[in-house]
Amino acid sequence: MEVFELEGTRYTPKVVFDLKNKVFEISGDSRPEDTHSFYQVLIDWLGKLNSASVHGDFKFKFAFDYLNSSSSKFIFKLIKCLKDLESDGINFSIDWFYDEPDVDMKELGEEYTELADIKINMISVEV
Amino acid sequence: MEEFDNHSLFNLHRSIIKEHMEFLYKGNITVDVVNILLQIVKNKFNEFKIDYSLQKRIYNIAVECLENVSDHGVSGSDIDSIFLIGKVDGVFIIGTGNIINNNVTNSLGSSLNKINTLDREGLKLIYKEKMTEQLGSDSNDAGLGLIDIALKANNKLDYQINPVNAGQDFFSFQVKINL
């Protein structure tokens, strides 16, 4: 399970989970037809990580252009999964990218920080 | 069935102009149709020179409205849904109309009435509560869509429910976004 990759589509985000380079990324548009099926695969993959098999500090980048409300629920589940991994000793530095004028995307990242009680770096991108 | 003549076409055209409708679709709102309609929404952004942050909000609202119809509307040949884009006096309007089974009418109405009583802070609070409540659920329907629409529109949600037959109602929904 070194690398897990999904190409982005008009409705689903690009996904790169790269254990070797310790870089994780979900980016693009997210409004899958079946949100649960799409994100459960990612949550299950992350759920298999444990401190006995992986070591070091990992980077997790979220860079959504758009996500629907159903996706926001499953992203929260995924972030909670990262929080559980953190408790197990696997540290993720989480970056939440948003377009500078997109206040709603920024607020969503802040809500995740509060709800999951996890540090998320908010990074604005000039458009 | 009454025949459709040129005079009714004229009347329809007059009504569309009078009601400030910029785009009107009637038909089944399937996943494929949603994509086409979203592209039309995007085209209107250029036409009306809408700024970037509002574009994102309107697009977001349009997705949630259309997904509500495609996920919850009752489709069928004689009971098509409608989708409209309107613009009047600095207000952008997204409207949908679809058939719902009337066993969901009360819960839908009370959800919307509750949302309409809340201010921005209240909406944010129930959004977060819902998100936490939903952690154990695998359902694609997060129950967040209408709250999200209200937050992004920053206006009360207009709706009306009219009976069409013994088991079904027509749900009309309008979201207004100040430009």
Side-chain angles (χ1 to χ4, degrees):
Chain A
M1 56 183 292
E2 281 268 288
V3 182
F4 175 88
E5 269 181 299
L6 292 174
E7 284 288 326
T9 70
R10 273 171 73 189
Y11 333 110
T12 56
K14 172 186 165 188
V15 178
V16 180
F17 289 175
D18 183 346
L19 272 181
K20 196 173 157 220
N21 293 306
K22 301 184 174 178
V23 177
F24 292 66
E25 177 182 339
I26 305 179
S27 58
D29 278 10
S30 181
R31 49 181 187 92
E33 205 177 330
D34 183 349
T35 325
H36 168 243
S37 301
F38 182 85
Y39 280 103
Q40 198 57 49
V41 173
L42 311 187
I43 292 165
D44 289 345
W45 198 96
L46 290 169
K48 284 182 191 147
L49 300 179
N50 60 68
S51 53
S53 58
V54 293
H55 307 282
D57 295 324
F58 296 82
K59 228 176 164 40
F60 207 117
K61 173 184 176 182
F62 291 99
F64 290 106
D65 288 325
Y66 167 76
L67 72 160
N68 65 0
S69 63
S70 179
S71 297
S72 66
K73 160 181 165 174
F74 289 96
I75 298 289
F76 180 45
K77 283 185 175 217
L78 193 144
I79 289 174
K80 288 288 273 185
C81 181
L82 297 181
K83 173 80 182 172
D84 291 343
L85 290 171
E86 191 181 83
S87 314
D88 190 38
I90 302 172
N91 291 318
F92 283 97
S93 147
I94 306 171
D95 291 338
W96 183 268
F97 287 79
Y98 63 94
D99 290 343
E100 194 266 326
D102 192 354
V103 182
D104 299 316
M105 189 62 82
K106 181 182 183 224
E107 284 184 0
L108 184 62
E110 289 167 350
E111 273 159 22
Y112 288 140
T113 304
E114 183 193 328
L115 288 173
D117 188 24
I118 194 165
K119 185 174 183 307
I120 300 177
N121 308 307
M122 305 302 298
I123 300 173
S124 87
V125 178
E126 242 179 83
V127 287
Chain B
M1 191 166 68
E2 226 174 284
E3 215 171 294
F4 193 83
D5 62 20
N6 279 333
H7 192 70
S8 45
L9 195 59
F10 171 71
N11 284 337
L12 177 66
H13 184 250
R14 297 308 303 163
S15 313
I16 287 172
I17 290 170
K18 189 171 158 253
E19 304 289 337
H20 304 278
M21 291 179 199
E22 293 290 337
F23 174 81
L24 179 63
Y25 168 86
K26 173 191 171 288
N28 268 346
I29 296 185
T30 60
V31 174
D32 289 336
V33 172
V34 166
N35 293 323
I36 296 165
L37 296 175
L38 286 174
Q39 189 53 52
I40 292 166
V41 172
K42 280 186 174 173
N43 294 346
K44 293 288 170 195
F45 294 157
N46 297 330
E47 195 181 319
F48 299 141
K49 297 184 173 50
I50 291 170
D51 79 47
Y52 184 80
S53 56
L54 267 178
Q55 284 186 20
K56 286 233 162 184
R57 287 201 159 165
I58 295 170
Y59 181 77
N60 220 303
I61 289 166
V63 174
E64 295 297 333
C65 287
L66 286 165
E67 285 182 348
N68 277 343
V69 179
S70 69
D71 295 347
H72 303 299
V74 181
S75 58
S77 58
D78 58 341
I79 44 173
D80 284 337
S81 304
I82 54 169
F83 172 76
L84 73 85
I85 300 169
K87 184 177 167 283
V88 56
D89 298 336
V91 178
F92 196 97
I93 300 158
I94 297 281
T96 55
N98 61 281
I99 298 288
I100 54 171
N101 288 325
N102 63 13
N103 57 358
V104 300
T105 298
N106 286 344
S107 62
L108 178 61
S110 57
S111 297
L112 284 160
N113 292 342
K114 185 182 175 192
I115 286 169
N116 278 340
T117 61
L118 297 170
D119 61 8
R120 194 163 181 79
E121 287 313 304
L123 286 168
K124 279 185 163 186
L125 194 68
I126 58 163
Y127 187 91
K128 286 189 236 180
E129 278 172 9
K130 232 358 166 222
M131 187 94 95
T132 311
E133 256 173 50
Q134 287 281 319
L135 257 183
S137 146
D138 288 338
S139 161
N140 284 330
D141 179 15
L144 295 166
L146 292 172
I147 308 167
D148 200 36
I149 292 170
L151 272 166
K152 292 195 166 68
N154 217 8
N155 270 322
K156 300 292 173 201
L157 305 176
D158 272 3
Y159 78 97
Q160 209 177 83
I161 297 171
N162 296 296
V164 286
N165 59 42
Q168 295 178 320
D169 293 338
F170 191 80
F171 173 59
S172 319
F173 186 56
Q174 258 194 73
V175 186
K176 293 175 179 142
I177 307 111
N178 300 338
L179 296 175

